Amino acid sequence: MSIASAPLPSSDRLDVAAQLREALLAVDFTADGLLELLGAPAYAALARSETVPALRATRGDGALETLVRLFLLQRTVPHARVAAVLPVDALLESGWLAEADGGLAATVDVRPYGGPDGEDWFIVSDLGCAVGGAGGIGSHDEGVVLGVGGASTTLAGLTVRTPVESALDLGTGSGIQALHAAQHATRVTATDLNPRALHITRLTLALSGAPVATVLEGSLFEPVGEETYDLIVSNPPFVISPGARLTYRDGGMSGDDLCRSLVQQAGERLNEGGYAHFLANWQHVDGEEWTERLRSWVPRGCDAWIVQREVQDITQYAELWLRDAGDHRTDPEEYAARYDAWLDEFDARKTRAVGFGWITLRKTGAGSGAAEPSVTVEEWPHPVEQSLGETVRAHFARQDFLRAHDDAALLAGHFKLADEVVQEQVGLPGAEDPEHVVLRQHRGMRRATKVDTVGAGFAGVCDGSLSAGRILDAIAQLVGEDPVLLRDRTPAQIRLLVEQGFLEPAGV
């Protein structure tokens, strides 16, 4: 029997899910509890799908060791050991457990997951599929439902978490995005082309003690009709591949058409002021700027912030996802034929590389004060601080401010230096003056930017008490420069510092 056709626990028995949750928490089967039991190296190895260190750490017969072996390591455990910890009869009847080799075995992977505010959640996935993403399960099994991988946590960390009435998790998988959304959305809808994923999403929500979501089967926005939302999140099957071999990762459309369609259609599904967050892959095509390709995806009436985090040439990309499916462990000739098919697909579309990153849309609200949307497309492969939801929200708030303020209004405005911004002076040892001055963020995007002495001096005294114009007049007097000329040439630098988050409008 394949993984994707194996029976699943009943998603209708909320009473049994509640009993199981209570039993798991009673023995500290949580993210913190596992870290303490296993130790950091074995805990980290589990996230890489390596089980040997955890097996060694659970040789005892305690309650927590029993649950780790049962749900995380998928070992058969003697009936009496399980019955000492869990309500076995109810779990057998509802399908969470099954008889196996004289003992009991779990029918699904149940993995503790710590919520952003310390919540104890549990992510359900198919057996052996708890770790998703490239290099994860290595499964050829069509229709399997993966657990939480790096992409899932990245998207969850990017999402703006303001309270909303309605949220849509498109392509829900194991339900992690719907689980996050349920904490700040009155109504949550989760969709997926795979009915097994919808079933597992119900299990994840129930076992985590979250409100029930509306689950709908279908592709892209088709299941929700004309419904609109305040928040849309999607970690779609973005892999650019020949065909749609694996539902959990392959888009099934030519090239990056699935991601493009998803982004373009989102504009009509967002309420005013609403956000849509996506992870995506996109092609780098000969004779075309990748930034312009992505600008063309942005729907009318939406602001956008698009960040390219990584680029791989087509050979690296093909090898990554061939290994993800375990093709490197098949017959060498079959592997070579699959590799050839990927490169043929890229050649046909004149693709030389593939980019990966984040796309955030915001439906332009009536109060934005701008006729033209703000579209920022940038490459940022450097480390960032998760979570970034507040950073994303602040980015769009600053765009609203800048579009509503011409240079005169900017000089009349009051600003303050953002938290945890430091100044670095770069130059030769012993030199009287630095070659240049750098402002560096230690939060959010962790940007760095060069500034001149006026820009550094301006940023250094911004505490919200004086207008930008008055600060520049004082600087002009100190450096012996014409204040009118300084006022004329400095707004562009102020605008850049505000746009990148080094300066914040006071009171905004």
Side-chain angles (χ1 to χ4, degrees):
M1 180 185 297
S2 69
I3 297 173
S5 61
L8 291 171
S10 170
S11 61
D12 297 326
R13 294 295 305 274
L14 298 182
D15 58 327
V16 177
Q19 290 178 54
L20 177 55
R21 173 177 173 79
E22 183 178 351
L24 297 178
L25 294 177
V27 298
D28 205 16
F29 186 71
T30 64
D32 289 341
L34 290 188
L35 180 59
E36 183 175 349
L37 171 70
L38 302 178
Y43 187 78
L46 271 182
R48 302 189 299 269
S49 294
E50 296 289 351
T51 59
V52 172
L55 282 167
R56 293 172 61 86
T58 55
R59 290 169 172 168
D61 58 2
L64 187 52
E65 286 99 330
T66 296
L67 294 185
V68 171
R69 283 188 165 252
L70 185 68
F71 287 117
L72 297 188
L73 304 179
Q74 278 93 58
R75 293 302 193 268
T76 299
V77 181
H79 191 290
R81 281 187 60 181
V82 180
V85 187
L86 299 176
V88 166
D89 291 342
L91 295 178
L92 282 169
E93 180 188 356
S94 59
W96 288 93
L97 299 178
E99 303 279 357
D101 299 326
L104 296 174
T107 58
V108 288
D109 186 292
V110 175
R111 191 150 302 220
Y113 181 89
D117 296 316
E119 302 94 343
D120 289 316
W121 294 339
F122 299 98
I123 308 302
V124 180
S125 62
D126 274 315
L127 292 175
C129 302
V131 180
I137 64 170
S139 174
H140 292 84
D141 204 350
E142 172 69 14
V144 296
V145 180
L146 307 188
V148 176
S152 300
T153 55
T154 294
L155 180 60
L158 284 172
T159 303
V160 175
R161 297 295 176 193
T162 52
V164 294
E165 175 64 26
S166 57
L168 171 65
D169 175 13
L170 192 153
T172 187
S174 61
I176 179 60
Q177 308 304 331
L179 181 55
H180 276 278
Q183 311 309 304
H184 63 106
T186 303
R187 294 183 292 106
V188 176
T189 301
T191 70
D192 206 289
L193 187 62
N194 182 1
R196 189 174 183 86
L198 298 176
H199 190 122
I200 284 182
T201 289
R202 292 190 189 98
L203 298 178
T204 289
L205 294 173
L207 196 56
S208 298
V212 175
T214 299
V215 296
L216 301 172
E217 182 181 345
S219 178
L220 299 180
F221 289 102
E222 181 230 354
V224 300
E226 301 301 316
E227 189 75 23
T228 59
Y229 299 89
D230 303 312
L231 173 67
I232 298 171
V233 291
S234 183
N235 178 15
F238 53 67
V239 176
I240 299 170
S241 61
R245 183 166 154 231
L246 299 173
T247 302
Y248 67 83
R249 66 164 211 194
D250 298 330
M253 297 184 183
S254 297
D256 53 18
D257 283 356
L258 182 137
C259 291
R260 176 187 55 79
S261 298
L262 186 59
V263 174
Q264 289 182 335
Q265 294 174 23
E268 297 178 351
R269 311 294 175 158
L270 278 176
N271 294 326
E272 289 296 305
Y275 288 91
H277 303 273
F278 308 99
L279 299 185
N281 277 183
W282 44 79
Q283 298 171 139
H284 286 229
V285 178
D286 284 334
E288 176 186 77
E289 288 292 332
W290 69 269
T291 54
E292 293 306 308
R293 182 181 192 84
L294 289 173
R295 285 180 182 276
S296 72
W297 290 11
V298 178
R300 293 183 61 183
C302 287
D303 296 335
W305 186 17
I306 302 172
V307 182
Q308 180 168 272
R309 295 287 287 157
E310 185 180 358
V311 181
Q312 291 185 315
D313 69 49
I314 56 174
T315 59
Q316 292 173 314
Y317 188 81
E319 290 162 15
L320 172 73
W321 293 107
L322 286 166
R323 292 182 68 85
D324 173 73
D327 290 318
H328 60 300
R329 295 192 291 268
T330 62
D331 176 74
E333 291 188 5
E334 183 181 345
Y335 173 79
R338 291 193 184 280
Y339 200 151
D340 252 345
W342 283 67
L343 297 185
D344 284 345
E345 173 78 8
F346 288 132
D347 284 346
R349 302 183 67 83
K350 299 182 179 179
T351 300
R352 55 183 172 80
V354 177
F356 168 82
W358 319 322
I359 298 175
T360 296
L361 305 177
R362 185 191 58 166
K363 192 68 171 285
T364 306
S368 68
E372 288 296 320
S374 165
V375 178
T376 301
V377 183
E378 62 177 320
E379 184 166 20
W380 190 254
H382 311 294
V384 298
E385 180 194 47
Q386 285 283 21
S387 62
L388 282 172
E390 178 55 27
T391 299
V392 172
R393 187 207 62 76
H395 167 86
F396 288 100
R398 292 194 303 271
Q399 298 305 311
D400 287 344
F401 175 86
L402 291 172
R403 289 181 301 187
H405 289 72
D406 60 16
D407 286 355
L410 206 64
L411 291 173
H414 294 239
F415 301 92
K416 58 183 179 181
L417 192 66
D419 293 337
E420 296 193 34
V421 173
V422 298
Q423 176 180 303
E424 300 173 357
Q425 296 189 162
V426 181
L428 293 173
E432 184 175 345
D433 296 313
E435 292 179 15
H436 57 262
V437 177
V438 174
L439 298 182
R440 187 178 301 278
Q441 301 168 347
H442 284 275
R443 299 187 64 183
M445 294 294 286
R446 293 179 175 168
R447 297 185 188 276
T449 189
K450 291 182 182 179
V451 291
D452 59 21
T453 54
V454 171
F458 179 87
V461 298
C462 277
D463 61 4
S465 61
L466 297 175
S467 70
R470 289 190 62 187
I471 293 174
L472 290 178
D473 289 345
I475 292 175
Q477 187 174 7
L478 285 173
V479 301
E481 188 168 341
D482 186 331
V484 175
L485 294 178
L486 190 61
R487 278 173 171 257
D488 284 345
R489 70 177 177 84
T490 306
Q493 188 169 189
I494 297 174
R495 195 171 290 276
L496 178 64
L497 292 176
V498 172
E499 181 180 2
Q500 295 191 341
F502 291 93
L503 293 178
E504 299 172 348
V508 175

